[in-house]
């Protein structure tokens, strides 16, 4: 989604982690009662004041999954606009360094085969991240639009 540069809404930067292992991608399901309840997403969270995207992603993954990660390539952000703000979802290709995974913010998680990733009910912005990731892997021949807004 391209956001017009003249938008006056607050931009919330939300880095997320894409974990891929042996042809599977990690997905986490949001708990009931949360916004976007039961939707699947890539774990992560918003950048707090004074934090970098990298610091926020390390913190959020530790809070949500209780694992240490190695952060790799930053992919093209996805944008989701709601009535009050613009979410800038910034995907990073990551690797888990520790285990086990202990969920604190999600109902469940799955390692989903790349060719079956679209069978889950993903949050809207995460769908765009999936396409960006598949393009990065060379799996998809999608044309990516360029956004005028940078986060």
């Amino acid at each position: 989604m391209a956001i017009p540069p003249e938008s006056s809404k607050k931009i919330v930067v939300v880095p997320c982690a894409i974990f891929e292992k042996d042809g599977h991608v990690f997905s986490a399901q949001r708990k009931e009662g949360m916004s976007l309840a039961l939707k699947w997403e890539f774990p992560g969270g918003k950048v707090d004041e004074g934090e970098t995207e990298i610091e926020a992603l390390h913190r959020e993954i530790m809070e949500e999954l209780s694992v240490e990660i190695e952060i790799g390539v930053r992919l093209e952000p996805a944008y989701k606009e709601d009535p009050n703000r613009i979410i800038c979802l910034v995907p990073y290709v990551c690797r888990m360094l520790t285990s086990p995974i202990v969920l604190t913010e999600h109902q469940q998680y799955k390692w989903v085969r790349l060719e079956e990733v679209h069978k889950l009910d993903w949050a809207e912005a995460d769908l765009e991240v999936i396409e960006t990731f598949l393009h990065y892997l060379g799996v998809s021949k999608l044309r990516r639009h360029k956004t005028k807004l940078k986060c």
Side-chain angles (χ1 to χ4, degrees):
M1 169 184 178
I3 304 298
E6 65 275 359
S7 178
S8 62
K9 292 182 180 179
K10 179 180 178 173
I11 298 172
V12 179
V13 179
V14 179
C16 66
I18 301 174
F19 301 108
E20 188 269 332
K21 184 172 124 180
D22 302 325
H24 292 74
V25 69
F26 181 89
S27 56
Q29 187 179 41
R30 296 177 65 84
K31 288 182 178 178
E32 287 190 56
M34 298 176 75
S35 64
L36 302 174
L38 304 179
K39 294 282 188 179
W40 291 88
E41 67 179 359
F42 294 108
K46 70 179 181 173
V47 175
D48 287 340
E49 179 101 19
E51 271 185 326
T52 65
E53 289 176 6
I54 300 295
E55 291 166 339
L57 190 53
H58 277 289
R59 176 185 52 76
E60 287 285 348
I61 297 303
M62 181 53 74
E63 289 174 4
E64 293 181 7
L65 307 178
S66 302
V67 296
E68 293 286 339
I69 62 171
E70 176 181 80
I71 299 175
V73 178
R74 182 186 195 267
L75 301 179
E76 180 181 336
Y79 298 91
K80 173 69 174 99
E81 188 170 5
D82 68 29
N84 303 312
R85 60 191 181 168
I86 298 168
I87 303 295
C88 174
L89 187 59
V90 184
Y92 284 87
V93 179
C94 299
R95 187 168 66 97
M96 288 186 195
L97 299 175
T98 60
S99 61
I101 296 168
V102 178
L103 299 178
T104 60
E105 298 284 323
H106 295 92
Q107 183 164 305
Q108 64 176 319
Y109 72 89
K110 291 182 182 184
W111 286 94
V112 182
R113 291 170 41 106
L114 284 170
E115 53 273 2
E116 296 178 356
V117 75
H118 288 293
K119 291 183 179 181
L120 297 180
D121 184 18
W122 290 88
E124 186 179 332
D126 290 85
L127 283 171
E128 190 172 335
V129 168
I130 289 168
E131 296 308 320
T132 299
F133 181 62
L134 292 175
H135 182 75
Y136 166 78
L137 293 176
V139 174
S140 175
K141 303 221 185 296
L142 296 176
R143 285 188 166 174
R144 303 299 300 153
H145 63 273
K146 295 289 182 191
T147 181
K148 295 178 182 172
L149 187 68
K150 297 290 181 195
C151 63

